[in-house]
Each structure stands twice: as C-alpha cells, then as structure tokens.
Amino acid sequence: MLRSRQLLRSAFRAAGAALGGTAGVVACQVAYVRLSFQLPPDATGPTSGTASAAALRSSGTRRNIIFLGDSLVTGVGCDAEAGEGPTLPRRVAELLSGRLGVDVGWLALGETGADVGTLTERLMPQVARCGAQGERVDAVVIVCGLNDMKSCFLHFQPQLNPHAFAGRLRGVVEAVRTSVGDECAVLLPGVSVEGVPSCPLAPRQRWREPCRPSPRFAAGVPRFEPFWPLSTCIARAAGMWEEQKRTVAHEMSVAGQRVAFSAQAGRLLPTRDIFCRDGMHPNDRGYAIWAELVAEDLLSAMALPPKDSGEAPP
C-alpha cells in the first residue's frame, strides 16, 4: 500500500512538472511571437465602391453590402502600393455582381485590432447612419473573433470568454438588423487557424534534425507552425470562439432571421503563397480565394425568405 502511494505521488509530481514545463514553453513562445511580429499596413485606396454589371446588361436592382470587422476588413496584407482598397469586400462584390447580373455596392467599415466591443462602440454608429439615410442594405458581413480571443488570453481579460463573446456578437447582429432592416442578410464568416501541422519528421529524427514545415495546410496560418505546443493551444482556443459564431448564427436562423455562418475550415486548402509576409494575414490572392467562399454563402443567405413571408427561396 505504501509503495502504491509513493508511486501515485511521484506520478502527480511528474504530471505537475510536465504541465508547468509546458506552460513555461508556451509563455516563452508567446513572448517571442509578440516581440518578433510586425503588422503590415492596412490596404490603401477606397473603402467603398461599386462592382458594375454594365457589361452584363444589368437587369435588376442594385445590391449593397457592408463589411464590418477587423484587420481582415481593412485589408491588412493586401498590396498597399496598389491603392485599390481592401481585396475581400471588393472581390466579393465583383463575384456577386457576376452571379446576380446587377451592380453591387460595397462598403468596408473596419478597424485593425477591433473586437466585438469595438464594433459596437465605434463602427455600429456608421452602420446606423447608413440605415438612417434610407440606403438599402442587402447584407452585412461581420468579421470578428480572433481579437476577442487575444484580448481574453494575452490581455488577461477572462470576462471576454467565448460565452460572453457570443452574447456580445448576438447584440451586434441584432443592432445591425435594427439599423438596416429585418430583410438584411447577416453573414458570420469563420476565420480558422486549425490544422497548422506539427513537425513532419519521424519521432527519432526530431531531436537531431531541424523541423521542415510542410508546404500545405488543411487550414490555418504559417505564423504559428514552428511553435508547438503554442500552435495547438491557439488552434483549440480559436475553435471555441468559432463555435460560438456558428451557434449564434444557427440559433438566430432557427428563429427565422437571415443570419448564416460561413465555414472556412475544411473548404479552404491554402498554400504559403496566399499569406502576406507576417504569416498570419492573407495576401491579395488569399483574400480573393476566401472571397469565393464568402460570396457563395452570401448568395445563399440573401436567397432566404424574410421571416413569416411564406416565400420560397428562388
């Protein structure tokens, strides 16, 4: 019996030491990543525009799309010298115009580093002004989540946990619909950092040879690939926030509202050449590829009949 207790104590000590060692490694990796990270500038050029369908003989009413969010809306990672504005909203509008055969106006309301609180306090008033001016808004794309996760963990704000994020996000969606009308579709795109591969070397070789990262990802970003176990921790944590977005979209959709989630994981198979130099944000090509998924899901969301209309999707 005494021998068993000693073994159990030893096992607990070893487990505690392992957990403490892992936490120490993760903390060092976080510090290194933060100190070595250089954020590229926002995209330059217009923050609004119109994708014209003139060449397609436009036969319908102009559609208007608002993009609300963080650095992915401001176009961090785009070619700043091109001066064409953020690629994601512009390319989504072009794809929708081609599919619908109508002019599609786009407006990017973004702030680099924005979390849901920033959307509520500083960006939602601009959406409200669009509604107050009587402008028709057919859809709003809300891009958020990763900065909320960062605020929770890196800035030590546990009150900004995934559950709280879901409540605040639901509030933003409801405010959008109040400002621009219930017939407006709202899309919540997923921003996945899952699937970042670990070192592909055989176990016996890992201590003798440098890690040679795989050139492809199932989904994710190359910035964190060399840093295991940090890469796994980030993927798991980000997944909790992504799941809340999916849940909010599902619950509001079941309630008869035009709210949808646009999944990225499992649909986007990126290579390193779709990321900008920071290894985290997409470049122009990456945004263009992502825009295809967003446009596809936006078309489906906009095709949903309004609540209690009795209409069938076209």
Side-chain angles (χ1 to χ4, degrees), residues 142 144-145 162 165-166 169-170 173 186-192 194 238-254 259-267 297:
I142 303 176
C144 63
F165 166 73
L169 178 59
R170 186 177 287 104
V173 175
V186 177
L187 188 71
L188 308 177
V191 184
S192 175
E194 296 180 358
M240 294 190 291
W241 270 261
E242 291 298 290
E243 187 58 33
Q244 292 302 317
K245 283 195 280 188
R246 186 189 298 272
T247 299
V248 168
H250 174 72
E251 291 176 351
M252 299 188 79
S253 177
V254 168
V259 183
F261 177 76
S262 175
Q264 186 184 87
R267 301 169 67 195
D297 293 335

Coordinates of all heavy atoms in Angstrom, one line a residue, residues 142 144-145 162 165-166 169-170 173 186-192 194 238-254 259-267 297:
I142 N -20.0 40.3 -41.0 CA -19.3 40.7 -39.8 C -18.1 39.7 -39.6 O -18.3 38.5 -39.4 CB -20.3 40.6 -38.6 CG1 -21.5 41.4 -38.8 CG2 -19.6 41.0 -37.3 CD1 -22.6 41.3 -37.8
C144 N -15.0 38.9 -37.2 CA -14.5 39.1 -35.9 C -14.2 37.8 -35.2 O -14.4 36.7 -35.8 CB -15.5 39.9 -35.0 SG -17.1 39.0 -34.8
G145 N -13.6 37.9 -34.0 CA -13.4 36.7 -33.2 C -12.0 36.5 -32.7 O -11.7 36.3 -31.5
P162 N -15.5 32.9 -24.3 CA -16.3 32.6 -25.5 C -17.8 32.8 -25.3 O -18.5 33.3 -26.2 CB -16.0 31.1 -25.7 CG -14.6 31.0 -25.2 CD -14.5 31.9 -24.0
F165 N -18.5 36.4 -25.5 CA -18.4 36.8 -26.9 C -19.6 36.5 -27.7 O -20.1 37.4 -28.5 CB -17.2 36.1 -27.5 CG -17.1 36.1 -29.0 CD1 -16.8 37.3 -29.7 CD2 -17.5 35.0 -29.8 CE1 -16.7 37.3 -31.1 CE2 -17.4 35.0 -31.2 CZ -17.0 36.2 -31.8
A166 N -20.2 35.4 -27.4 CA -21.5 35.0 -28.1 C -22.6 36.0 -27.8 O -23.3 36.4 -28.7 CB -21.9 33.6 -27.7
L169 N -21.8 39.3 -29.6 CA -21.9 39.2 -31.1 C -23.4 39.2 -31.4 O -23.8 39.8 -32.4 CB -21.2 37.9 -31.5 CG -21.4 37.6 -33.0 CD1 -20.8 38.7 -33.9 CD2 -20.7 36.2 -33.4
R170 N -24.2 38.5 -30.6 CA -25.6 38.5 -30.9 C -26.2 39.9 -30.8 O -27.1 40.3 -31.6 CB -26.4 37.6 -29.9 CG -27.8 37.4 -30.2 CD -28.5 36.4 -29.2 NE -28.1 35.0 -29.4 CZ -27.2 34.4 -28.7 NH1 -26.6 34.9 -27.7 NH2 -26.9 33.1 -29.0
V173 N -25.4 41.7 -34.1 CA -26.2 41.2 -35.2 C -27.6 41.9 -35.0 O -28.2 42.3 -36.0 CB -26.3 39.7 -35.2 CG1 -27.3 39.2 -36.3 CG2 -25.0 39.1 -35.5
V186 N -27.3 38.6 -42.7 CA -26.1 38.8 -42.0 C -25.3 37.5 -42.1 O -25.8 36.5 -41.8 CB -26.4 39.1 -40.5 CG1 -25.1 39.2 -39.7 CG2 -27.2 40.4 -40.4
L187 N -24.0 37.7 -42.5 CA -23.1 36.5 -42.6 C -22.0 36.7 -41.6 O -21.4 37.7 -41.5 CB -22.6 36.5 -44.0 CG -21.8 35.2 -44.4 CD1 -22.7 34.0 -44.5 CD2 -21.0 35.4 -45.7
L188 N -21.7 35.6 -40.9 CA -20.6 35.5 -40.0 C -19.6 34.5 -40.5 O -19.7 33.3 -40.3 CB -21.1 35.0 -38.6 CG -22.3 35.8 -38.0 CD1 -22.7 35.1 -36.7 CD2 -22.0 37.2 -37.8
P189 N -18.5 35.0 -41.2 CA -17.5 34.1 -41.8 C -16.6 33.6 -40.7 O -16.2 34.2 -39.7 CB -16.7 35.1 -42.7 CG -17.6 36.3 -42.9 CD -18.3 36.4 -41.6
G190 N -16.3 32.3 -40.8 CA -15.3 31.7 -39.9 C -13.9 32.1 -40.3 O -13.6 32.3 -41.5
V191 N -13.1 32.2 -39.3 CA -11.7 32.5 -39.6 C -10.9 31.4 -38.8 O -10.5 31.5 -37.7 CB -11.3 33.9 -39.0 CG1 -9.9 34.2 -39.4 CG2 -12.2 35.0 -39.6
S192 N -10.5 30.4 -39.5 CA -10.0 29.2 -38.9 C -8.4 29.3 -38.8 O -7.8 29.8 -39.7 CB -10.3 27.9 -39.7 OG -9.7 26.8 -39.2
E194 N -7.1 26.4 -37.4 CA -6.9 25.0 -37.1 C -6.1 24.3 -38.2 O -5.9 24.8 -39.3 CB -8.2 24.3 -37.0 CG -9.1 24.7 -35.9 CD -10.4 24.0 -35.8 OE1 -10.6 23.2 -36.7 OE2 -11.2 24.3 -34.9
A238 N -9.0 29.2 -30.5 CA -9.7 29.9 -31.6 C -11.0 29.1 -32.0 O -12.0 29.6 -32.3 CB -8.8 30.0 -32.8
G239 N -10.9 27.8 -31.9 CA -12.0 26.9 -32.2 C -13.2 27.2 -31.3 O -14.4 27.1 -31.7
M240 N -13.0 27.6 -30.0 CA -14.1 27.9 -29.1 C -14.8 29.1 -29.5 O -16.0 29.2 -29.5 CB -13.5 28.0 -27.7 CG -12.9 26.7 -27.1 SD -12.5 26.9 -25.3 CE -11.2 28.0 -25.4
W241 N -14.1 30.1 -30.0 CA -14.7 31.3 -30.4 C -15.5 31.1 -31.8 O -16.6 31.6 -32.0 CB -13.7 32.5 -30.6 CG -13.5 33.3 -29.4 CD1 -14.1 34.5 -29.1 CD2 -12.8 32.9 -28.2 NE1 -13.7 34.9 -27.8 CE2 -12.9 34.0 -27.3 CE3 -12.0 31.8 -27.8 CZ2 -12.3 34.0 -26.0 CZ3 -11.4 31.8 -26.6 CH2 -11.5 32.9 -25.7
E242 N -14.9 30.3 -32.6 CA -15.5 30.0 -33.9 C -16.8 29.2 -33.7 O -17.8 29.5 -34.4 CB -14.6 29.2 -34.8 CG -13.4 29.9 -35.3 CD -13.8 31.1 -36.2 OE1 -14.3 30.9 -37.3 OE2 -13.6 32.2 -35.7
E243 N -16.8 28.3 -32.7 CA -18.0 27.5 -32.4 C -19.1 28.5 -31.9 O -20.3 28.2 -32.2 CB -17.7 26.5 -31.4 CG -18.9 25.5 -31.2 CD -19.3 24.8 -32.4 OE1 -18.5 24.5 -33.3 OE2 -20.5 24.5 -32.5
Q244 N -18.8 29.5 -31.2 CA -19.8 30.4 -30.7 C -20.4 31.2 -31.9 O -21.6 31.5 -31.9 CB -19.2 31.4 -29.7 CG -18.8 30.8 -28.4 CD -19.9 30.1 -27.7 OE1 -21.0 30.6 -27.6 NE2 -19.6 28.9 -27.2
K245 N -19.6 31.6 -32.9 CA -20.2 32.2 -34.1 C -21.2 31.3 -34.8 O -22.2 31.7 -35.2 CB -19.1 32.6 -35.0 CG -18.3 33.8 -34.6 CD -17.5 34.4 -35.8 CE -16.2 33.7 -35.9 NZ -15.3 34.3 -36.9
R246 N -20.8 30.0 -34.9 CA -21.7 29.1 -35.6 C -23.0 28.9 -34.8 O -24.1 28.8 -35.4 CB -21.0 27.7 -35.7 CG -21.7 26.7 -36.4 CD -21.1 25.3 -36.3 NE -19.7 25.3 -36.8 CZ -19.4 25.0 -38.1 NH1 -20.4 24.8 -39.0 NH2 -18.2 25.0 -38.5
T247 N -22.9 28.9 -33.4 CA -24.0 28.7 -32.6 C -25.0 29.9 -32.7 O -26.2 29.8 -32.8 CB -23.6 28.5 -31.1 OG1 -22.8 27.3 -31.0 CG2 -24.8 28.4 -30.2
V248 N -24.4 31.1 -32.6 CA -25.2 32.3 -32.8 C -26.0 32.3 -34.1 O -27.2 32.6 -34.1 CB -24.3 33.6 -32.6 CG1 -25.1 34.8 -33.0 CG2 -23.8 33.7 -31.2
A249 N -25.2 32.0 -35.2 CA -25.9 32.0 -36.5 C -27.0 31.0 -36.5 O -28.1 31.2 -37.1 CB -24.9 31.7 -37.6
H250 N -26.8 29.8 -36.0 CA -27.8 28.7 -36.0 C -29.0 29.1 -35.2 O -30.1 29.0 -35.7 CB -27.2 27.4 -35.5 CG -28.1 26.3 -35.3 ND1 -28.7 25.6 -36.4 CD2 -28.7 25.8 -34.2 CE1 -29.5 24.7 -36.0 NE2 -29.6 24.8 -34.7
E251 N -28.8 29.6 -34.0 CA -29.9 30.0 -33.2 C -30.8 31.1 -33.8 O -32.0 31.0 -33.7 CB -29.4 30.4 -31.8 CG -28.9 29.2 -31.0 CD -28.3 29.6 -29.6 OE1 -28.2 30.9 -29.4 OE2 -27.9 28.7 -28.8
M252 N -30.1 32.1 -34.3 CA -30.9 33.2 -34.9 C -31.6 32.8 -36.2 O -32.7 33.2 -36.5 CB -30.0 34.4 -35.2 CG -29.3 34.9 -33.9 SD -28.4 36.5 -34.1 CE -29.8 37.7 -34.1
S253 N -30.9 31.8 -37.0 CA -31.6 31.3 -38.2 C -32.8 30.5 -37.9 O -33.8 30.6 -38.5 CB -30.5 30.5 -39.0 OG -31.1 29.9 -40.1
V254 N -32.7 29.7 -36.8 CA -33.8 28.9 -36.4 C -35.0 29.8 -36.0 O -36.2 29.4 -36.2 CB -33.4 27.9 -35.3 CG1 -34.6 27.3 -34.6 CG2 -32.5 26.8 -35.8
V259 N -29.6 35.0 -40.8 CA -28.3 35.0 -40.3 C -27.6 33.7 -40.6 O -28.2 32.6 -40.4 CB -28.3 35.2 -38.7 CG1 -26.8 35.3 -38.2 CG2 -29.0 36.5 -38.4
A260 N -26.4 33.7 -41.1 CA -25.8 32.4 -41.5 C -24.3 32.5 -41.2 O -23.7 33.5 -41.0 CB -25.9 32.2 -43.0
F261 N -23.7 31.3 -41.0 CA -22.3 31.1 -40.7 C -21.6 30.6 -42.0 O -22.1 29.8 -42.7 CB -22.1 30.1 -39.6 CG -20.7 29.8 -39.2 CD1 -19.9 30.7 -38.5 CD2 -20.1 28.6 -39.6 CE1 -18.6 30.4 -38.2 CE2 -18.8 28.3 -39.3 CZ -18.0 29.2 -38.6
S262 N -20.5 31.2 -42.3 CA -19.7 30.7 -43.4 C -18.4 30.0 -43.0 O -17.5 30.7 -42.5 CB -19.3 32.0 -44.3 OG -18.5 31.6 -45.4
A263 N -18.4 28.7 -43.1 CA -17.3 27.9 -42.6 C -16.1 28.1 -43.6 O -16.2 28.1 -44.8 CB -17.7 26.5 -42.5
Q264 N -14.9 28.1 -43.0 CA -13.7 28.2 -43.7 C -12.9 26.8 -43.6 O -12.4 26.3 -44.6 CB -12.8 29.3 -43.2 CG -11.5 29.6 -44.0 CD -10.7 30.6 -43.4 OE1 -9.8 30.3 -42.6 NE2 -10.8 31.9 -43.9
A265 N -12.9 26.3 -42.4 CA -12.2 25.0 -42.2 C -12.8 23.9 -43.0 O -14.0 23.8 -43.1 CB -12.2 24.7 -40.7
G266 N -12.0 23.2 -43.7 CA -12.4 22.0 -44.5 C -12.8 22.4 -45.9 O -13.0 21.6 -46.7
R267 N -12.9 23.7 -46.2 CA -13.2 24.2 -47.5 C -12.0 24.9 -48.2 O -12.0 25.1 -49.4 CB -14.4 25.1 -47.5 CG -15.7 24.5 -46.9 CD -16.7 25.5 -46.6 NE -17.3 26.1 -47.9 CZ -18.0 27.2 -47.9 NH1 -18.2 27.9 -46.8 NH2 -18.4 27.7 -49.0
D297 N -21.7 31.7 -49.9 CA -22.5 31.6 -48.7 C -23.4 32.9 -48.6 O -24.5 32.8 -48.1 CB -21.7 31.4 -47.4 CG -21.0 30.1 -47.4 OD1 -21.5 29.2 -48.1 OD2 -19.9 30.0 -46.8

